[in-house]
Amino acid sequence: MQYVPTQNIQAQSNQLIHPHFGYVILVFIYSWVMLAYLGLKVGLARKKYNVKYPNMYSDKDPLFNCIQRAHQSTVEIYPQWLIFQLIAGVVYPITASLLGIIWVTSRFTYAWGYYSGVPEKRMNGSYGYIGLLGVIFLSIVVAVKTLISSG
């Protein structure tokens, strides 16, 4: 895909990229920062608790396991969130970006709850479902509108 400056896009009747899609891109960058932070925390915890690769978890230190799980559970849902965020963001970039900020921020809150050593505190980040379910809903709307307009 070729980059077309905003002024050229707006002059055309068939826009390739919504002028506000930059917000979606910034949310993707924010999500990368979040993943890097969670990964760094696991790396530092590996050294602190002496958990060698390829071991995913510690038999001795439950706090390491909490730190690892905060990262792992985020990595498990991240690909699905990326797809829904992208689909929603193509048509509803501002709304999708706000929902994305909610989801990404909630993953920090989720991790900090886990880092406390009390796994139940991870639920402090459950507000992230607003962001996740929001972009899933918007993706369904985009799919339905696309099918209706093509039929």
Side-chain angles (χ1 to χ4, degrees):
M1 177 182 282
Q2 173 184 340
Y3 171 75
V4 181
T6 304
Q7 63 269 24
N8 292 344
I9 290 175
Q10 292 172 339
Q12 299 174 0
S13 62
N14 57 346
Q15 296 179 356
L16 297 176
I17 298 175
H18 193 287
H20 294 126
F21 192 75
Y23 294 121
V24 177
I25 295 168
L26 289 174
V27 172
F28 286 144
I29 294 167
Y30 178 41
S31 74
W32 174 82
V33 169
M34 177 266 301
L35 281 180
Y37 170 80
L38 298 181
L40 178 66
K41 293 295 279 186
V42 173
L44 293 171
R46 280 188 177 282
K47 288 181 181 179
K48 180 177 180 178
Y49 296 105
N50 198 28
V51 178
K52 304 288 185 203
Y53 287 106
N55 297 325
M56 288 282 285
Y57 299 101
S58 170
D59 294 332
K60 302 177 278 183
D61 294 300
L63 188 54
F64 172 81
N65 295 340
C66 289
I67 295 166
Q68 169 65 11
R69 278 303 305 151
H71 179 256
Q72 186 63 36
S73 63
T74 300
V75 168
E76 290 166 0
I77 192 65
Y78 189 69
Q80 293 89 354
W81 173 79
L82 279 174
I83 294 297
F84 291 124
Q85 182 71 22
L86 179 62
I87 294 167
V90 166
V91 178
Y92 303 105
I94 293 174
T95 305
S97 295
L98 292 172
L99 292 168
I101 289 168
I102 291 169
W103 184 78
V104 174
T105 302
S106 79
R107 298 315 294 184
F108 282 110
T109 308
Y110 177 90
W112 294 330
Y114 241 145
Y115 297 166
S116 72
V118 181
E120 293 76 21
K121 288 187 178 181
R122 74 189 188 283
M123 299 312 293
N124 293 341
S126 62
Y127 65 89
Y129 283 108
I130 295 167
L132 178 61
L133 295 175
V135 293
I136 291 171
F137 174 77
L138 287 179
S139 294
I140 293 168
V141 170
V142 169
V144 170
K145 282 186 171 186
T146 301
L147 291 171
I148 289 171
S149 70
S150 68

